[in-house]
Amino acid sequence: MAAEPLLELKNVSAYYGPIRALNRVNMVLYPGEMVCLLGGNASGKSTTLKTILGLVQMGEGEIYFRGERIDRKLTAYRIARGIAVVPENRRVFPRMTVRENLEMGAYLRSDPEGIREDMEYVFSLFPRLEERLSQPAGTLSGGEQQMLAMGRALMSRPRLILMDEPSMGLAPKLVETIFKIIKSVNERGITVFVVEQNANIALSIADRGYVLQTGEVVLQGPAQELLHNEAMRRAYLGEV
């Protein structure tokens, strides 16, 4: 594990108007790790990702990415620094083609040869996308849209990918496939921070995990320890 964190949240509190959604959250991700963020509904999981991206108002704390404090920077700056997101419910551009969606992922890049290489890499992960290049994204199945959202994120050649509920609404067999691909992406050296309701599958491929409850970190540790930790299960089910 690298000595210097890639991403660090220090005592971060976040708000929706007067309502505090995160309370003095501390988290750290190191380069090349896969870390999962678990918790029940309304625990603050998606809010954590939105706060990292600058989409939710921070009240206190600091966020560092690649050694630079970014919590006062615009979302566009954070993306340009190397953060990509696979949002909840896919959120592809429905009227744009598959190709155009992928090209949007590379919007900030100016290296045509590298973009072509990454497009081929995306097709190697998701052959179905290559078969549907000219098809409007809104006509794809839910699973295909999830593949497209992941491919679009990879087209930015990110240092860190934030994934929000990648298994949501997918058939169990497809969920297994998607997580195998997430693992293979991570094995290429891309750091992955995944929010997931399915604790078992997330912890089975992650290095470490955090468990949130009502906006606070209640447990953290190596994924395999959390997977067999009874307190984690109580926290995850909201019984702590």
Side-chain angles (χ1 to χ4, degrees), residues 10 22 37 66 125 139 158 199 205 208 211 217 221 232 239:
K10 295 184 176 181
L22 296 178
L37 181 58
R66 297 171 58 191
L125 292 175
T139 65
I205 65 169
R208 294 187 299 111
V211 181
V217 175
M232 187 285 291
E239 298 170 0

Side-chain angles (χ1 to χ4, degrees), residues 206-227:
D207 298 303
R208 294 187 299 111
Y210 291 91
V211 181
L212 278 180
Q213 186 181 2
T214 59
E216 298 185 359
V217 175
V218 293
L219 278 173
Q220 59 179 293
Q224 288 304 307
E225 289 184 12
L226 291 178
L227 193 58

Side-chain angles (χ1 to χ4, degrees), residues 53 74-81 108:
L53 287 166
L74 295 175
T75 298
Y77 180 86
R78 305 181 197 201
I79 297 294
R81 283 284 286 161
L108 295 176

